[in-house]
Amino acid sequence: MTDLLHTLPTFPTSSYTHLLPSLEKNLITTVDLLTLDALEIAKRAQLPVLDVRRLANAIVTALQTELGLSIEAGNGVANNGSVHQNVQKTGKDNTRLRKTGSEVIERWQTISTLDENLDAALGGGIPTGYITEITGESGAGKTQFLLTLLLSAQLPPPQGLSRPTLYISTEAPLSTPRLSQLLTSHPLLTTLPPSTPSPHLSQILTLQTPDLESQDHILRYQLPVALQRHKIGLVVLDSVAANYRAEFERPDARSGAAMGKRSNELAKLGQLLRDLARMHDVAIVVANQVADRFTPITPSAMRAAAVHPTGETKNGPLSSPLISRSHIPIGINGPILSSSPSLPLHSSSAPTFPPSQPPTSTFDPMTLDHQQRWFTGWGSSQCMTENQLKTPALGLVWANQIACRIALIKEPVYSTVNEIGHISTDVRTAGEEESGRGELVRWRRWMKVVFAPWMEGEREGRGIEFEIKGEGVRSAESA
């Protein structure tokens, strides 16, 4: 029963201390008590049937009370007296899931990005009570968004929560120089009324988790205490994937059993963070890394490439020296291999695709390659090319643990060179026509809400464009 207190941290175990050692010795979990017959469990653990049934009923009652399923709609009387007394002492019930629409609206609180256009794109800001993920490649602006949230959460409503914040780092330490720069240069923070409390670095708590074992201990034991003691309103985990990648992506850990263990750990982490966000009404924001996505080459893509036997495509000659010496003719169903003397045997790598061609996927709509375009943040837009596709780390298992995913997309901008060699001031992104590409000029960045239950409508395209300046993050429209 080592998982009982993980499932129900407030469960009163004092009345069942004579049962728990035997249940733990026989590897009986909380799920077993809820699903198996009491007689079968009693035989396995050699315990009285009535005591096992009484423990199972107490666990069911505690779960129903915590989820709000045992509270009568009329008078709010709970079956579990201890939990109901705790609600009366605190004056509010953060554990209930059964709420009316008006109750949800009244308790809806968000943290602002300090930019009106970005807040509008997010549906008001980053809400409390949920896990929000910000994902993107290196240099996309994840840390800049997180640092802004650490300061804005300290502001009074509607910009913030008037509560301290907590930053949990798994990689680089907290960038206090950048925070100080934001405090002294951001237009909104420097023009606060004298009666409004200003954000301060002393209101940002920090923790370091160098490995997965320490991360689990901090999140499971130290984080709940910190939330209760300091009344924290925002928890930032930067990043959620670093320790899992270091632990499970080693060459000796890439087995099916290791991936199954990682999935189990991610599910436990998601449950823990969701419970903390709901019970303490805190916003939990995690940063996530991305990896390049390699999409399968379909027959239509092969035909679109139109590889000529002389080694040329629609885009021009193939550049590889090996390809220039030997080529494969491409058929409808893929490369044609032959040992006939009249048709020499060729070898070739994947064909080059036109830059403007939209991402391809498999024809089966039930495959992950097809469906991930709508929950990863990359691939659903026709303005992206094959070499721009990314996939957030930790896979589909982690995507099911979060309530909202925000993708930060960046593209390089190049100057263009005309026919006589003059550099034009007109710039083009990597997704546009690449002929005449000059030097890298700058980066363009977009913020896109991939999925969120409080957002309505389709979220197509790259999203809203934003810029990172010395005074902070702001939308391109505001600039």
Side-chain angles (χ1 to χ4, degrees):
M1 295 299 294
T2 54
D3 65 333
L4 178 58
L5 294 180
H6 292 168
T7 307
L8 291 168
T10 60
F11 184 80
T13 59
S14 57
S15 302
Y16 309 98
T17 53
H18 62 291
L19 303 177
L20 299 181
S22 182
L23 294 173
E24 182 175 352
K25 180 180 178 181
N26 290 275
L27 303 179
I28 297 175
T29 64
T30 305
V31 175
D32 295 333
L33 284 171
L34 296 175
T35 57
L36 300 180
D37 184 71
L39 180 60
E40 180 181 350
I41 296 177
K43 290 181 178 179
R44 285 174 54 184
Q46 297 181 356
L47 293 172
V49 179
L50 294 179
D51 289 349
V52 173
R53 185 174 288 116
R54 184 165 58 90
L55 174 59
N57 292 336
I59 293 176
V60 171
T61 302
L63 284 172
Q64 291 177 343
T65 303
E66 182 173 341
L67 298 178
L69 303 178
S70 64
I71 299 179
E72 298 179 5
N75 52 22
V77 177
N79 293 334
N80 189 302
S82 60
V83 176
H84 185 54
Q85 291 174 2
N86 183 49
V87 172
Q88 290 179 334
K89 291 179 181 179
T90 58
K92 60 182 180 179
D93 185 5
N94 289 333
T95 63
R96 294 182 56 188
L97 291 181
R98 181 183 294 170
K99 299 182 179 71
T100 64
S102 59
E103 289 176 339
V104 173
I105 295 176
E106 290 175 0
R107 296 186 57 179
W108 182 261
Q109 292 181 300
T110 58
I111 302 174
S112 173
T113 62
L114 304 183
D115 185 275
E116 294 182 356
N117 296 320
L118 295 178
D119 288 343
L122 293 172
I126 304 297
T128 60
Y130 298 92
I131 304 176
T132 302
E133 178 195 87
I134 299 179
T135 183
E137 55 187 312
S138 177
K142 300 188 297 296
T143 301
Q144 300 301 321
F145 265 92
L146 297 178
L147 295 180
T148 304
L149 295 175
L150 289 174
L151 297 177
S152 61
Q154 303 177 36
L155 296 173
Q159 286 87 5
L161 309 172
S162 296
R163 296 159 66 181
T165 56
L166 173 62
Y167 182 84
I168 303 176
S169 173
T170 62
E171 298 177 286
L174 179 64
S175 177
T176 52
R178 176 56 175 163
L179 287 171
S180 300
Q181 182 184 18
L182 292 175
L183 286 173
T184 56
S185 61
H186 196 282
L188 192 146
L189 297 179
T190 55
T191 57
L192 291 174
S195 58
T196 302
S198 300
H200 200 272
L201 295 183
S202 61
Q203 294 297 308
I204 303 177
L205 308 178
T206 59
L207 290 173
Q208 188 80 17
T209 59
D211 51 56
L212 190 58
E213 182 179 359
S214 63
Q215 174 181 310
D216 181 73
H217 183 273
I218 288 175
L219 296 179
R220 193 169 296 278
Y221 299 104
Q222 298 184 22
L223 179 57
V225 176
L227 293 177
Q228 185 69 26
R229 179 178 301 173
H230 300 283
K231 307 300 180 184
I232 291 173
L234 168 68
V235 176
V236 171
L237 179 58
D238 185 14
S239 70
V240 67
N243 288 330
Y244 284 95
R245 279 185 158 183
E247 182 73 18
F248 292 101
E249 293 190 3
R250 304 191 312 269
D252 58 340
R254 295 180 180 179
S255 62
M259 290 298 99
K261 181 180 178 182
R262 191 190 77 162
S263 299
N264 187 29
E265 294 295 330
L266 289 174
K268 291 181 179 179
L269 174 64
Q271 178 189 358
L272 172 64
L273 295 181
R274 287 194 305 271
D275 291 343
L276 292 175
R278 174 172 51 87
M279 294 178 64
H280 296 275
D281 196 25
V282 60
I284 296 182
V285 182
V286 300
N288 196 5
Q289 304 166 353
V290 296
D292 292 322
R293 185 194 311 173
F294 299 93
T295 56
I297 301 176
T298 59
S300 60
M302 289 288 190
R303 291 193 297 268
V307 178
H308 193 270
T310 59
E312 292 191 358
T313 66
K314 290 182 178 180
N315 298 329
L318 297 172
S319 58
S320 172
L322 294 178
I323 296 177
S324 63
R325 290 197 293 266
S326 58
H327 309 285
I328 280 186
I330 303 297
I332 295 179
N333 296 322
I336 301 176
L337 302 179
S338 173
S339 58
S340 171
S342 60
L343 182 61
L345 182 63
H346 305 293
S347 63
S348 173
S349 62
T352 304
F353 298 97
S356 59
Q357 182 178 337
T360 60
S361 64
T362 57
F363 294 116
D364 188 357
M366 299 304 295
T367 59
L368 179 62
D369 290 326
H370 179 78
Q371 295 188 7
Q372 68 178 344
R373 299 185 296 168
W374 288 278
F375 66 82
T376 60
W378 284 265
S380 61
S381 174
Q382 296 296 319
C383 56
M384 288 187 178
T385 59
E386 290 281 351
N387 58 355
Q388 295 176 297
L389 297 183
K390 308 292 180 182
T391 298
L394 306 182
L396 182 60
V397 175
W398 174 248
N400 288 323
Q401 309 302 319
I402 59 179
C404 172
R405 169 167 283 167
I406 302 171
L408 303 184
I409 303 169
K410 73 170 187 176
E411 279 192 22
V413 177
Y414 299 95
S415 60
T416 56
V417 182
N418 56 25
E419 296 179 356
I420 59 177
H422 289 197
I423 299 178
S424 172
T425 57
D426 180 31
V427 293
R428 303 188 180 192
T429 61
E432 299 172 352
E433 181 62 40
E434 297 185 1
S435 60
R437 175 186 291 183
E439 296 181 354
L440 176 65
V441 177
R442 60 185 177 90
W443 291 90
R444 296 181 65 184
R445 296 175 174 87
W446 291 267
M447 183 196 72
K448 176 181 179 180
V449 179
V450 184
F451 58 82
W454 53 87
M455 299 287 292
E456 62 179 358
E458 299 268 337
R459 288 167 288 278
E460 296 293 340
R462 291 188 178 97
I464 179 172
E465 188 173 359
F466 69 94
E467 299 175 350
I468 300 176
K469 301 291 185 179
E471 59 270 20
V473 179
R474 60 181 181 178
S475 64
E477 299 178 7
S478 301

